[in-house]
Amino acid sequence: MDSLGPRIKELRLEANLNKAALARRVGVSDVTISYWESGAIRQIGHERLVALSQALGCPLSRLLEGENGGRAAPLYLRSQPPAPWQDPAAGRIELPFELVPAQQWEGECFLLTPAPGEHFDFLSEGDLVAVAPTDIFHQTGLYLVEREGRHCIRRVSQDDDGKLLFSAEESDRVEGYTPDTRLLGKLVARWQTTPL
């Protein structure tokens, strides 16, 4: 995968924009655009990446992965097993470090969105999440979990004794691990739909 900086410059030139014009559209200085393009600034927040893709008139996937970036389409997340990436045709994505610096995640990821008619805590219709398959707790955060034979998204943390704790989005109730609970994947990035 080529780096994000040169891809920003390539897409800016394709869009016939100079740095100042792109900067105005994104809401940053033209110096910031120069730093992004040169790689001097490697960490670009989600909101800025979305604004960049909109200003450049390209899908976020093209900004992040380029033309040859596998073009993985989002997979539908359903409440019933199996996990979406268990489909042999499921396309993996590569997440640039700049996109998820706090996650320190290296490994395969899949782009998921709730299937029509499906509802999940922490996700709205049209949201996208990058999920890294894992059955091991790595750090506190959002995980795709199978519980009682259904998929759900839970905030997972550990107590002082190392026991896993699961909480839903709008509940103060924290549940402990049960034998029918299984971690399926760590959510390493989330893009939420908001009206423009």
Side-chain angles (χ1 to χ4, degrees):
M1 180 183 78
D2 54 346
S3 69
L4 184 58
R7 199 160 38 254
I8 293 171
K9 181 176 182 178
E10 174 189 337
L11 291 168
R12 175 178 61 79
L13 294 173
E14 270 183 35
N16 292 319
L17 295 171
N18 61 30
K19 290 177 187 175
L22 179 59
R24 279 192 301 275
R25 289 183 180 190
V26 176
V28 298
S29 71
D30 54 340
V31 172
T32 298
I33 299 294
S34 293
Y35 286 156
W36 287 346
E37 289 183 357
S38 70
I41 296 178
R42 294 189 54 192
Q43 295 181 11
I44 304 173
H46 297 153
E47 291 176 9
R48 293 287 188 226
L49 286 168
V50 170
L52 257 175
S53 70
Q54 290 172 344
L56 293 167
C58 71
L60 184 59
S61 61
R62 182 166 180 219
L63 175 62
L64 296 177
E65 300 173 4
E67 286 288 356
N68 302 322
R71 295 288 183 145
L75 305 173
Y76 279 135
L77 177 58
R78 301 181 190 284
S79 57
Q80 294 297 317
W85 53 82
Q86 292 177 328
D87 178 347
R92 292 163 178 76
I93 61 169
E94 290 186 41
L95 284 180
F97 168 80
E98 299 91 347
L99 189 60
V100 288
Q103 296 293 332
Q104 300 174 346
W105 191 270
E106 292 185 27
E108 64 183 7
C109 284
F110 295 87
L111 196 59
L112 307 181
T113 190
E118 295 278 3
H119 301 282
F120 293 91
D121 281 358
F122 305 100
L123 292 180
S124 298
E125 182 179 340
D127 287 355
L128 294 173
V129 288
V131 178
T134 183
D135 58 358
I136 299 169
F137 176 81
H138 290 273
Q139 66 189 88
T140 297
L142 298 178
Y143 285 78
L144 178 60
V145 175
E146 186 175 323
R147 192 168 198 142
E148 298 176 357
R150 297 183 59 81
H151 292 158
C152 57
I153 304 229
R154 294 291 181 259
R155 179 166 303 284
V156 182
S157 59
Q158 278 185 319
D159 66 11
D160 294 335
D161 296 325
K163 295 178 184 170
L164 294 182
L165 303 173
F166 300 83
S167 57
E169 182 174 23
E170 295 183 15
S171 172
D172 294 333
R173 193 171 125 202
V174 176
E175 299 175 341
Y177 174 82
T178 60
D180 67 341
T181 302
R182 190 166 65 112
L183 296 179
L184 299 174
K186 171 88 171 81
L187 279 66
V188 295
R190 175 175 58 176
W191 298 271
Q192 295 179 293
T193 55
T194 54
L196 297 177

